[in-house]
Amino acid sequence: MDLSSIKQSVLLGDAEATIAAAHEAVAAGVSPSSILTDALIPAMEDVGNLFACGEYFVPELLMAARAMSAAVEVLRPTLARSGYKAAGTVVIGTVQGDLHDIGKRLVAMMLEGSGFDVIDLGTDVAPEQFIAAARDNDAAIVALSALLSTTLPAMESTVGALRAAALHENLRIMVGGAPVTDDFARRIGADGYAPDAPGAAALARRLVGPHGDADAN
Ligand code: B1M
């Protein structure tokens, strides 16, 4: 079955059309993992590229991510039954003292669209909460967001606490948010920094890739 209508509806940010097309594909017997890997993930990659070259802006990104999330909800029950193996679990949250969550939610949606299981802890998340969630869910990645320059120290102490907890040697930590820079990420010992949601999804895939790119900044 031609999956281009799913891809196209995500690109257009049309959630209703994406849901309908996903239902149609499932009814036609297309496997949910194929819908994800052959249509939804490539669509979000295209969205990321359009954003990177300045053709798409945050509203288009949000609409596409919403359409993609809606389709993931259609597929979720069947994906679980079909034994689809996610790229890994990402625990994400906005660091302690910071209540901004729009960009972080966008990042979470893009990560989900890239095949990760995402556990979103919300905002104002204490280091101990990140540690507990990463441990309990055997997370591959912990993703920290901060929007205030005053909460950058909380980001640094969360990275420190995660390292001190020594959960497992493959745990990767990625950071982002408006005041965060590549330099800052390196300085606090994060494994990677991404400036935006599509970049975060690409970074996460690199971090869990064959070389596990520690320091993929
Ligand atoms: Co606040 N706020 N805010 N605010 N707010 C900013 C961030 C600010 C820049 C506004 C300004 O002064 N011009 C300023 C911070 C200045 C600074 O520290 N440098 C600021 C301030 C000062 C405050 C308060 C202190 C205001 C006050 O009360 N006096 C207060 C703090 C509250 C707190 O957190 N403790 C506050 C409160 C709020 C609201 C609650 C009203 C609301 C948040 C609502 C919510 O999130 N649910 C709010 C908002 C909306 C903003 C602005 C207007 C918009 C932020 C946003 O959502 N952008 C913002 C000004 C601005 O940015 N123009 C501002 C859209 C979003 C898609 O982008 O979040 O940058 P962004 O996410 C991007 C990237 O940063 C990146 O990808 C995303 C998408 O591409 N990214 C990651 C984000 N996380 C990532 C993680 C990654 C990778 C990439 O890997 C893990």
Side-chain angles (χ1 to χ4, degrees):
M1 185 191 171
D2 179 17
L3 297 178
S4 60
S5 61
I6 299 185
K7 205 173 160 195
Q8 195 56 24
S9 56
V10 172
L11 279 166
L12 293 174
D14 186 338
E16 273 180 27
T18 312
I19 290 171
H23 276 302
E24 203 183 311
V26 170
V30 182
S31 77
S33 62
S34 164
I35 297 172
L36 197 61
T37 52
D38 299 332
L40 294 174
I41 292 174
M44 289 314 281
E45 281 167 4
D46 286 356
V47 169
N49 292 335
L50 289 165
F51 180 74
C53 71
E55 273 191 53
Y56 271 22
F57 297 94
V58 167
E60 284 89 357
L61 209 55
L62 272 172
M63 285 170 69
R66 278 204 194 104
M68 184 274 304
S69 287
V72 169
E73 287 314 312
V74 172
L75 303 181
R76 197 186 293 282
T78 340
L79 272 173
R81 280 201 303 275
S82 68
Y84 170 77
K85 198 172 177 309
T89 298
V90 180
V91 166
I92 190 168
T94 306
V95 300
Q96 194 159 39
D98 201 322
L99 300 176
H100 295 84
D101 79 341
I102 297 168
K104 183 262 303 162
R105 278 197 286 135
L106 198 48
V107 171
M109 285 193 269
M110 290 290 292
L111 288 170
E112 197 162 59
S114 295
F116 288 91
D117 280 335
V118 177
I119 296 169
D120 188 345
L121 302 179
T123 61
D124 190 18
V125 182
E128 310 78 61
Q129 291 172 271
F130 280 111
I131 292 169
R135 187 183 49 232
D136 296 350
N137 298 286
D138 195 22
I141 298 176
V142 176
L144 309 176
S145 177
L147 258 289
L148 296 171
S149 39
T150 49
T151 53
L152 290 179
M155 181 172 267
E156 180 169 11
S157 51
T158 304
V159 172
L162 280 161
R163 295 288 184 220
L167 298 177
H168 61 79
E169 67 177 43
N170 293 325
L171 179 74
R172 299 284 179 250
I173 303 172
M174 55 187 271
V175 295
V180 181
T181 62
D182 205 4
D183 263 7
F184 176 76
R186 285 173 193 276
R187 198 152 28 86
I188 65 174
D191 296 306
Y193 155 79
D196 52 36
L203 169 64
R205 305 269 336 174
R206 287 202 300 281
L207 288 173
V208 298
H211 307 297
D213 266 15
D215 194 15
N217 285 302

